[in-house]
Amino acid sequence: MQNNTDENFNEDFERLMKQFLSEEYKDVKLDDMQTEDEEDPFLEDEDIDEDIDEDVDVDEYQAEDNTPTEKADDICTDSPLPGDVIEQNQNTSVRVEILRPIDNPQEELQKLVGCGNIKKRMDELVALTAYNRMLHEQFPELKQHRVSLHSLFLGNPGTGKTTVCKIFGALLHEAGALSKGHVVVCDRGTFIGTLWGDEERAMKQVVEMAQGGVLMIDEAYLLNGKNENDPGKIIVQLLMNLLADESRRDIAVVLCGYKEPMNELLETNPGLLSRFPNRFEFADFSVDELLEITIRRIEEYSYRFTVNAWQKYTDMIALAFSARDTETWGNARFIANQLERIYIQHATRCVKQPPKNHNDLLLITPEDIVPIEAPRRKNRIGFGV
C-alpha cells in the first residue's frame, strides 16, 4: 500500500510540475496535495521536513489581490459586449482589450491595498451620481446636478490604475450612470494608422465599443507628440469633439499616465482640462503594502514562506524600494516579476530535489529567492528626462 501511495504521489508531483513550467499551474487545484488544516505561511526552516498538525490563524492575509480575479460567477451579463477589433483601414486592424464588469465592485474597491484617497474620491463621485438619479426619479421637474464622469488617473506603473478603472465602470453601472459598465482599454497605437483618415475611423469605432461603459486611454500623454504634425494631436481634437457631444452621455472617458507628462498634455488644449474634472492620483505603494500584496498573491497558490525565506525576501524588497528610481519603479508589477522568478526557482529546485512530503512542495525557502534587477530610468517617447 505504501509503495502504491508513493508512486501515485510521484506521478501527481511530476504532472503538476510539468503544468507549472508550461504556465498552466495556476489552473491546477492542489486540494489533493494539501492537509485539512490551515498552516502558517511563515514556517521555521528546521520544520520543513516535518508534518505540521497545528491550526494557525491566517485571516489577516486572506484579502484579495489588488488585481481582482475574474470568475464566471462574478461577471455582469445584463448586456452583450462589443467585439474587440478595430479596423483602421482595409489592410490594418488592431485588437483592443475589453474588461468585463464585475459584481460587488464596492467590495472589490475596499479590498484594494492602500489607495485610501482613491477609495474616498471614488465613493464621493459614485454617491453624487446615485443621488442625482434618485433626485430625478422623485422630482423629474427639478434641475439635476451636472455630473461629469470623465476622469484622470495619474500615477506610476503598477499602482492599480487599470484595476480601479475596471471597478469604476462597474460602480457607475450599479449607480445607474452607465448602461453596461465594461472598460475598453486603448492606447496611441489603437488610433494611429497608416492612411489618411485612419484616426477618425478608429475613434468612431472605439467610441461605439465603449458606449455604456468606460473608454480608458492608457499612456495618454503619448498623444502629445513634439512634432507639430504628429497624428496624436488629431486624436486629441477628435476626443474633444467626443466630449463636447452631449448626446453621448452613456460613456466615461479615463485618461491614464504619468503625472507630469499628463499635465503637459492637458496644457496643450485649454478645453481639455475642464472636460476632466475628476482627478485621481495613485501613489506608489509603501514597503508594507508591497509585502501585503506579496502575501495575498502567494496565497492564491497556497504557497508559504519559511521564516528565513520571508526575512530574505523582505530585506530584498526594502533594499530595492530604497534604491528605486521613482520614474521607473514598477510597484505591484515589480512584486509580480519577483514572485514569478521565485516560482520558477522553486519549481526547478523541487524537480531536481523531489520533496520528502506534501507540505514541502508548497514551501518557499531562502534558496528560491533570487532577486531580479529593478529597471533603470529610460527616456519616454516625446519627452526629455
Side-chain angles (χ1 to χ4, degrees):
M1 290 294 295
Q2 181 64 38
N3 290 335
N4 290 337
T5 300
D6 292 339
E7 290 176 2
N8 291 336
F9 169 68
N10 290 333
E11 291 176 359
D12 289 341
F13 169 72
E14 183 176 359
R15 173 175 54 83
L16 290 171
M17 286 298 99
K18 288 180 179 180
Q19 290 174 326
F20 179 92
L21 294 174
S22 65
E23 298 186 352
E24 296 177 0
Y25 187 83
K26 63 179 67 178
D27 297 324
V28 178
K29 294 184 178 180
L30 297 178
D31 294 344
D32 57 331
M33 302 293 289
Q34 300 178 35
T35 61
E36 295 181 357
D37 296 332
E38 289 185 334
E39 298 166 355
D40 190 341
F42 310 119
L43 297 179
E44 294 289 351
D45 289 66
E46 57 267 25
D47 294 336
I48 291 177
D49 295 329
E50 298 178 3
D51 290 335
I52 302 170
D53 297 322
E54 292 185 359
D55 291 333
V56 180
D57 184 7
V58 293
D59 288 345
E60 63 182 302
Y61 304 117
Q62 293 303 317
E64 293 291 329
D65 175 25
N66 77 316
T67 306
T69 55
E70 211 170 348
K71 301 179 182 178
D73 295 339
D74 295 332
I75 296 175
C76 298
T77 57
D78 297 341
S79 304
L81 297 182
D84 60 355
V85 176
I86 299 293
E87 301 292 342
Q88 292 179 340
N89 55 60
Q90 293 180 344
N91 302 317
T92 306
S93 63
V94 294
R95 189 176 299 275
V96 298
E97 184 178 10
I98 298 181
L99 306 177
R100 302 181 67 89
I102 58 174
D103 284 340
N104 305 316
Q106 184 60 240
E107 180 180 343
E108 294 297 338
L109 179 66
Q110 298 309 318
K111 286 179 181 178
L112 295 179
V113 175
C115 301
N117 185 55
I118 300 295
K119 296 174 185 177
K120 181 176 181 295
R121 290 289 314 283
M122 197 73 67
D123 283 341
E124 291 172 349
L125 178 59
V126 172
L128 179 58
T129 302
Y131 171 77
N132 205 39
R133 181 188 181 191
M134 293 168 54
L135 195 65
H136 177 66
E137 291 174 351
Q138 297 298 321
F139 307 98
E141 72 282 0
L142 295 183
K143 182 179 179 179
Q144 297 185 54
H145 293 286
R146 187 180 181 86
V147 181
S148 175
L149 305 178
H150 307 316
S151 305
L152 300 171
F153 283 13
L154 310 178
N156 289 331
T159 49
K161 296 188 293 296
T162 301
T163 296
V164 172
C165 197
K166 181 178 177 180
I167 295 173
F168 187 41
L171 283 172
L172 293 175
H173 173 62
E174 279 196 351
L178 296 176
S179 60
K180 296 180 180 179
H182 63 295
V183 179
V184 177
V185 182
C186 302
D187 56 21
R188 177 186 170 95
T190 305
F191 306 102
I192 306 300
T194 58
L195 301 177
W196 177 265
D198 283 352
E199 292 78 20
E200 186 171 1
R201 283 189 290 270
M203 176 63 76
K204 287 181 178 179
Q205 293 175 73
V206 166
V207 170
E208 189 63 31
M209 281 185 179
Q211 281 299 306
V214 176
L215 170 57
M216 172 183 169
I217 303 181
D218 197 17
E219 296 185 313
Y221 56 84
L222 294 179
L223 299 175
N224 184 27
K226 286 188 175 181
N227 190 320
E228 184 176 348
N229 297 319
D230 187 276
K233 299 184 184 300
I234 300 175
I235 301 303
V236 174
Q237 187 55 53
L238 291 172
L239 185 60
M240 285 292 296
N241 296 340
L242 162 66
L243 299 178
D245 186 355
E246 291 299 323
S247 67
R248 296 188 179 278
R249 302 291 293 171
D250 192 17
I251 187 174
V253 179
V254 176
L255 302 184
C256 299
Y258 295 95
K259 182 177 178 179
E260 292 183 8
M262 284 295 293
N263 286 335
E264 291 183 29
L265 169 65
L266 297 172
E267 291 172 358
T268 63
N269 193 311
L272 195 57
L273 180 59
S274 63
R275 296 289 183 179
F276 290 86
N278 307 307
R279 188 182 181 96
F280 299 91
E281 297 194 14
F282 292 71
D284 285 347
F285 291 112
S286 67
V287 172
D288 288 342
E289 289 168 342
L290 293 173
L291 296 179
E292 184 177 351
I293 290 171
T294 298
I295 291 298
R296 296 183 183 189
R297 292 197 172 190
I298 68 165
E299 284 190 342
E300 292 179 2
Y301 302 98
S302 299
Y303 284 124
R304 301 178 308 282
F305 285 91
T306 67
V307 170
N308 288 343
W310 180 247
Q311 185 61 56
K312 181 177 180 180
Y313 179 83
T314 56
D315 290 344
M316 179 183 69
I317 297 302
L319 180 61
F321 183 84
S322 65
R324 75 191 187 285
D325 183 332
T326 56
E327 293 191 12
T328 58
W329 178 243
N331 289 284
R333 294 184 191 176
F334 179 77
I335 294 298
N337 291 338
Q338 292 288 351
L339 290 180
E340 187 66 23
R341 182 61 178 161
I342 289 172
Y343 297 155
I344 292 173
Q345 286 293 115
H346 173 77
T348 302
R349 177 177 61 81
C350 288
V351 168
K352 291 182 178 179
Q353 302 174 352
K356 296 181 180 179
N357 58 50
H358 297 172
N359 291 325
D360 289 355
L361 182 60
L362 299 173
L363 285 179
I364 295 174
T365 65
E367 58 188 306
D368 298 331
I369 312 241
V370 179
I372 60 175
E373 184 178 357
R376 296 180 179 180
R377 178 178 300 183
K378 59 182 179 180
N379 292 338
R380 303 194 189 100
I381 299 176
F383 294 91
V385 294

